[in-house]
Amino acid sequence: MHTRHMTFSEKVFGVTNSVILAVIALAMLLPIMYIVAGSFASDLEIGARSFFLIPNEVTLNAYKYVFKDNALPRSLGVSVFITAGGTLVNLFFTLTMAYALSRKQMVGRNFFVKMVVFTMMFSGGIIPTYLVVKNLGLLNSYWAVMLPTAINAFNLIVVKSFFEEIPNELIESGRIDGCTDMGVLWRIVLPLSKPVIATFALFYAVAHWNDFFNALIYLTDAKKWPMQVLLRQIVLLATGALDQGTYDPTYVKPPDQSIKMAVIVVGTLPILLVYPFLQKHFAKGVLLGAVKG
């Protein structure tokens, strides 16, 4: 097999490219490694050393503080439920609406597409959205954090563009075999769209996992709080206890900085564990969406 030798300029370009990518990778990895190391460090070490990747004295005080009762496991289950349920709601509404808008024979198709694009630039705002959720009786229910964000307009446009690229002959063959629109979507379109579905499922899941604002304003029952809201509460309590001076004198308060770092680790770790399983679909889906969107 003939192998073409690289020219000098190509070698220089390859080395330069590798160095730049390595620097960018380190710039992203080092802060994460510092956060993880800081979550296991003592208060004295965090104050004495400006940057470190391996703590001299390993302590679990911050994690003991975060996991001191069953509130965090319960809120972790709530976060998983909201993330899984919210992602299914997102995919259902996004895929069905994208498929409908991708069909040229749909009545009023251009009008609805323009309305979707309009929402990308203008929105009702927080107060009108809150009033709609309240009048629908959704306050303090999980639907309040799932339904208002059921469709992301940008994701919908990209998925619609992807569906439009599927050969119309495949869809017509399904109709000849007796499939309805839902049958065509379920049996033909969705099996051909796995990379796009996996990509936007990850986008929606990350958005639900990181979201705390909607839960903060719509969920008043503390037992229904997702992990992000509870962790925010833990950080506020930890930083406010010393000012109030009402804590038990025998209680050894863990360092505030390490609590924040432990909170970041606990909040980020689950989604990082899921990402490797979707990575191959994620890269392919983003490329397909970019080209066809």
Side-chain angles (χ1 to χ4, degrees), residues 236-277:
L236 292 178
L237 289 174
T239 54
L242 278 178
D243 296 336
Q244 298 174 3
T246 56
Y247 60 97
D248 186 347
T250 61
Y251 171 66
V252 180
K253 185 179 180 297
D256 296 339
Q257 281 300 112
S258 66
I259 289 179
K260 294 176 184 177
M261 294 177 179
V263 164
I264 294 173
V265 173
V266 172
T268 309
L269 187 61
I271 206 70
L272 289 179
L273 295 177
V274 173
Y275 179 76
F277 297 99

Side-chain angles (χ1 to χ4, degrees), residues 20-61:
I20 293 175
L21 290 177
V23 171
I24 294 175
L26 282 176
M28 294 180 179
L29 286 176
L30 287 178
I32 297 176
M33 296 171 68
Y34 172 67
I35 291 293
V36 175
S39 67
F40 290 100
S42 64
D43 190 18
L44 181 62
E45 187 173 1
I46 292 177
R49 302 172 66 185
S50 59
F51 181 81
F52 58 88
L53 297 179
I54 300 177
N56 293 327
E57 179 187 356
V58 177
T59 175
L60 298 177
N61 282 347

Side-chain angles (χ1 to χ4, degrees), residues 159-175:
V159 176
K160 179 189 80 71
S161 301
F162 180 83
F163 286 168
E164 288 176 344
E165 297 298 325
I166 295 177
N168 195 50
E169 290 77 7
L170 290 176
I171 295 175
E172 291 302 325
S173 66
R175 295 187 186 281

Side-chain angles (χ1 to χ4, degrees), residues 2-289:
H2 177 68
T3 303
R4 189 178 72 85
H5 293 285
M6 296 177 64
T7 63
F8 177 75
S9 60
E10 289 176 334
K11 291 180 180 178
V12 171
F13 174 79
V15 172
T16 305
N17 199 24
S18 300
V19 171
I20 293 175
L21 290 177
V23 171
I24 294 175
L26 282 176
M28 294 180 179
L29 286 176
L30 287 178
I32 297 176
M33 296 171 68
Y34 172 67
I35 291 293
V36 175
S39 67
F40 290 100
S42 64
D43 190 18
L44 181 62
E45 187 173 1
I46 292 177
R49 302 172 66 185
S50 59
F51 181 81
F52 58 88
L53 297 179
I54 300 177
N56 293 327
E57 179 187 356
V58 177
T59 175
L60 298 177
N61 282 347
Y63 289 97
K64 288 179 180 177
Y65 183 86
V66 172
F67 288 98
K68 64 181 180 181
D69 53 31
N70 63 351
L72 188 62
R74 182 182 63 237
S75 64
L76 178 61
V78 172
S79 283
V80 172
F81 173 76
I82 290 177
T83 301
T87 302
L88 289 176
V89 169
N90 290 133
L91 290 179
F92 174 78
F93 284 105
T94 300
L95 295 175
T96 52
M97 186 171 180
Y99 174 71
L101 294 179
S102 68
R103 299 299 93 201
K104 296 181 179 178
Q105 65 269 26
M106 175 186 173
V107 178
R109 173 175 176 266
N110 291 332
F111 170 77
F112 289 114
V113 172
K114 290 178 181 177
M115 291 299 293
V116 171
V117 175
F118 180 82
T119 63
M120 295 173 66
M121 297 177 284
F122 304 97
S123 66
I126 296 175
I127 295 177
T129 304
Y130 178 85
L131 293 177
V132 171
V133 172
K134 179 182 178 182
N135 290 332
L136 289 176
L138 299 179
L139 284 182
N140 215 24
S141 74
Y142 295 127
W143 288 113
V145 295
M146 296 181 186
L147 289 181
T149 57
I151 295 179
N152 179 288
F154 177 79
N155 295 347
L156 175 67
I157 295 297
V158 175
V159 176
K160 179 189 80 71
S161 301
F162 180 83
F163 286 168
E164 288 176 344
E165 297 298 325
I166 295 177
N168 195 50
E169 290 77 7
L170 290 176
I171 295 175
E172 291 302 325
S173 66
R175 295 187 186 281
I176 292 173
D177 290 339
C179 287
T180 61
D181 283 324
M182 289 302 294
V184 170
L185 176 64
W186 181 256
R187 297 174 184 272
I188 297 176
V189 176
L190 295 186
L192 296 174
S193 309
K194 290 180 180 177
V196 171
I197 295 173
T199 300
F200 288 103
L202 183 61
F203 283 164
Y204 281 128
V206 172
H208 280 294
W209 184 264
N210 292 330
D211 180 47
F212 76 95
F213 185 73
N214 287 329
L216 194 63
I217 61 177
Y218 295 135
L219 302 178
T220 56
D221 186 356
K223 293 183 178 179
K224 294 183 178 180
W225 282 353
M227 187 176 65
Q228 290 71 20
V229 178
L230 182 66
L231 294 180
R232 173 183 176 274
Q233 190 76 1
I234 290 175
V235 172
L236 292 178
L237 289 174
T239 54
L242 278 178
D243 296 336
Q244 298 174 3
T246 56
Y247 60 97
D248 186 347
T250 61
Y251 171 66
V252 180
K253 185 179 180 297
D256 296 339
Q257 281 300 112
S258 66
I259 289 179
K260 294 176 184 177
M261 294 177 179
V263 164
I264 294 173
V265 173
V266 172
T268 309
L269 187 61
I271 206 70
L272 289 179
L273 295 177
V274 173
Y275 179 76
F277 297 99
L278 298 175
Q279 192 273 336
K280 61 178 181 180
H281 298 295
F282 178 76
K284 188 176 180 181
V286 169
L287 289 175
L288 288 172

